[in-house]
Amino acid sequence: MGILKTTCDVAYKICDGIFSGLGLDKPISFLTDLFKTSLTFKGGMFDKNRGKGDALARQLHRERMEAAAERQAALDAMRRDLQEL
């Protein structure tokens, strides 16, 4: 296992040295950061279930209201428990 890790580390450092020596490290890191979020299948531009406009606003509002209802229910349960003491 140690030999495999060392070999991979050496290959990574060689590629990193080549790219930085040619001045390609900054454009490559810029492109990977740029396309990291936009080209993912989940939550990116190819996500077919991605909400837009009013549908997204309604979905976010529904999620906030559900979270508020859960929070209020937990607070009510705590209040009842404290009153019983």
Side-chain angles (χ1 to χ4, degrees):
M1 189 68 172
I3 294 172
L4 181 63
K5 183 179 176 184
T6 304
T7 305
C8 291
D9 188 44
V10 168
Y12 175 76
K13 287 182 180 180
I14 288 172
C15 290
D16 187 42
I18 290 172
F19 288 140
S20 64
L22 295 174
L24 297 175
D25 57 339
K26 291 182 181 176
I28 289 173
S29 67
F30 171 73
L31 290 175
T32 55
D33 288 342
L34 179 68
F35 292 120
K36 188 183 302 181
T37 56
S38 63
L39 293 179
T40 59
F41 289 107
K42 185 174 183 180
M45 62 188 264
F46 298 115
D47 189 7
K48 293 181 181 178
N49 297 324
R50 184 175 164 192
K52 294 180 182 173
D54 290 338
L56 178 62
R58 282 192 294 272
Q59 176 188 357
L60 292 175
H61 176 70
R62 184 174 46 251
E63 290 173 0
R64 286 186 193 121
M65 294 305 291
E66 289 171 357
E70 290 174 6
R71 187 172 45 250
Q72 188 62 42
L75 289 173
D76 289 341
M78 286 174 45
R79 182 178 50 84
R80 279 191 305 270
D81 291 341
L82 289 174
Q83 284 178 347
E84 291 174 1
L85 292 177

